[in-house]
Amino acid sequence: GGGKNSRGNQFIVSLTNVGPLAGGSPWEVPWGELVGEHSFATLSKIYTGYGEKGPTQGLIAREGVTDAVKEKFPEMDYVNTCEVVDETEMAS
């Protein structure tokens, strides 16, 4: 990806220890972690059945989540919101 506005973002949640995929390359920057049982309970509800056969990043980037994508992948989950939590607040 060279050129102006040619980079995208991926939000990856690792369900297991993946070693080098967790920031092993300069462009992979871990930015957070799950804390507390409630976080893990939420994560366990995310549908993972499509595996590598889900919609491609390119399709979503090009077309967005269209009705056709929703029809083909009816179990796909969505992150609607997230919250940054200060670790010092979590300790109290």
Side-chain angles (χ1 to χ4, degrees), residues 39-92:
S39 295
F40 289 95
T42 301
L43 184 62
S44 71
K45 295 176 185 176
I46 295 175
Y47 180 74
T48 60
Y50 295 124
E52 295 296 320
K53 301 209 184 299
T56 65
Q57 178 184 356
L59 173 69
I60 300 298
R62 268 191 324 276
E63 300 178 22
V65 181
T66 62
D67 288 339
V69 170
K70 289 178 183 179
E71 186 175 319
K72 187 171 182 179
F73 303 100
E75 300 297 322
M76 186 167 63
D77 290 303
Y78 305 88
V79 175
N80 294 319
T81 62
C82 69
E83 184 177 333
V84 176
V85 178
D86 185 335
E87 280 186 27
T88 57
E89 292 175 18
M90 293 297 294
S92 54

Side-chain angles (χ1 to χ4, degrees), residues 16-30:
T16 61
N17 185 356
V18 292
L21 294 178
S25 299
W27 56 87
E28 297 171 341
V29 181

